[in-house]
Amino acid sequence: MRILIISTTFPYPPTLGGTQIRTFYLLKHLSQSHEVTLVTQRSPEVTDDEVATLATCVTKLVCFPRPTAADLRPGLPGKVSRFAHFLATGTPPSTTYLHAPAMQQWIDEWVEGGHCDAITCEHSVNEVFVRPSYRQRVPKVVVDIHSSLYGTLVNQLQTGTAEKPLRDRLNLPLLRRYERCYAQKFTDLVITTEEDRQFFAAIAGQTPLHVVPNGVDLVQFPYRPADPGGHSLVFVGAMDYIANVDTAKFLAQAILPPLRQRYPDVTLYLVGNKPTAEVQALGNLPGVVVTGRVDSVAEYLHRATVCVVPMRIGFGIKNKTLEAMAAGVPVVASDRGLEGLAVDQPQRALRANSVEEYVGAIGQLFDQPELRATLSARGRELIETTFTWEKAGEAYEAVLYGKYTL
């Protein structure tokens, strides 16, 4: 097939966040058997070497400058204007902000020129580039949703983690309408977990809904050679993403202090790119180390006694959880952090959803090396048998061929 992949997120290197990772490995798999054209946006921090490397992974790479905050109308007039546009068009500012006219023109000309047999949008924010008329020209037009804007907002309001609750309550019905509307442009919708399927069923209507989970690069995340013991914790993620910022603060401010009362030498490593000022400030707390971007996430996982994923918001399967299990690190995580994973029968990770449960579960693992060994082995086995990028790529390819089956 000739496949056009649309991604406003530049998907390289595949270590900076969930969207980059999923997009890169899916396009890498598709490129093995198909002619893949990737149209993307490049921010100033993307290097020429990264562009050159990504270009070797696809048949054709087309880059446009990524819009910046400077392109937005400032102050209250700008906010009012953007909300009015949302009301009028039904498309949220987080999506229209990325809509570059030059990129849209290129996509229009590519599709109208008959250059593709399938189109994929990697993340729902890219749906803005897909015109309803594309379905008359292209057999498969797919959106790989990654996460629901509406569902994420509901989750934030329910957990009290919304940055601006009043604004978000106003936006809620608009986002519900928006997702129902854009779903109709596509031949197929792709989500990452069965939990997501239940949520999206009402939104999808008659549009086929497919579950394609994430995977792990087992070369990048090898099984650790030994249990380091000790009292070291790690949390991994892009540290400018709201769900990860909330998790880092919850972990450092609420979970770590009572844990240090029992284990005074506990050290928490917050590992991830672009830590916000809030995350950087956590490094001033006793026992907290904020690393920023690192060369090898796997090295930090291998050195940790336990990986903690106390996510309170954020839909979909979590790469950070999969990667920790692949690396052989025992995991303690919330229901959100374990979404899409069968970890209870047999036990492959410890589940916790309150400060007391986290402290108890982490303490268990600190004190019981045999339990660490069991979770380590079972976690790795689950990844090897179910969550590789090869399996995810094959499922995604089946969607494009119209041969997807559960």
Side-chain angles (χ1 to χ4, degrees), residues 217-299:
D217 183 335
L218 298 180
V219 175
Q220 294 294 322
F221 291 90
Y223 191 67
R224 68 184 184 185
D227 179 349
H231 299 136
S232 172
L233 303 177
V234 67
F235 172 70
V236 175
M239 293 297 171
D240 60 346
Y241 173 47
I242 184 173
N244 290 337
V245 173
D246 174 73
T247 303
K249 290 165 61 179
F250 179 52
L251 183 48
Q253 296 171 344
I255 298 173
L256 188 62
L259 193 62
R260 282 178 62 85
Q261 291 178 6
R262 289 175 54 180
Y263 307 92
D265 63 336
V266 174
T267 303
L268 167 64
Y269 291 89
L270 300 175
V271 179
N273 194 41
K274 294 183 180 178
T276 64
E278 285 184 295
V279 174
Q280 291 179 38
L282 298 175
N284 297 322
L285 298 176
V288 179
V289 178
V290 179
T291 68
R293 183 174 177 177
V294 298
D295 291 334
S296 172
V297 171
E299 288 184 14

Side-chain angles (χ1 to χ4, degrees), residues 131-194:
R131 300 190 189 278
S133 60
Y134 288 0
R135 286 186 63 169
Q136 277 74 61
R137 292 181 172 273
V138 182
K140 282 291 180 181
V141 186
V142 177
V143 57
D144 186 5
I145 293 170
H146 288 223
S147 60
S148 163
L149 299 180
Y150 170 77
T152 298
L153 210 55
V154 169
N155 190 205
Q156 291 171 4
L157 288 167
Q158 288 175 341
T159 57
T161 56
E163 290 182 319
K164 297 179 179 178
L166 179 60
R167 177 203 65 186
D168 293 344
R169 287 192 179 91
L170 288 173
N171 284 341
L172 207 54
L174 298 175
L175 285 174
R176 182 70 165 179
R177 180 186 70 178
Y178 161 67
E179 293 195 336
R180 284 181 181 274
C181 187
Y182 86 62
Q184 298 172 15
K185 296 193 298 182
F186 294 90
T187 62
D188 300 83
L189 309 180
V190 172
I191 36 85
T192 63
T193 68
E194 285 296 335

Side-chain angles (χ1 to χ4, degrees), residues 41 64 67 98-108 129 131:
Q41 293 180 350
F64 290 89
L98 295 167
H99 188 249
M103 183 169 167
Q104 180 69 70
Q105 181 180 351
W106 187 93
I107 293 170
D108 286 342
F129 290 100
R131 300 190 189 278

Side-chain angles (χ1 to χ4, degrees), residues 233 247 250-251 254-256 258-259 262-263 306-312 331-338 350-366:
L233 303 177
T247 303
F250 179 52
L251 183 48
I255 298 173
L256 188 62
L259 193 62
R262 289 175 54 180
Y263 307 92
V306 179
C307 176
V308 191
V309 191
M311 306 289 289
R312 297 191 289 182
V331 171
V332 176
S334 64
D335 292 339
R336 278 271 171 249
L338 294 171
L350 298 187
R351 193 179 294 271
N353 290 290
S354 69
V355 171
E356 294 74 18
E357 289 173 348
Y358 284 113
V359 172
I362 294 167
Q364 255 190 294
L365 288 169
F366 280 170

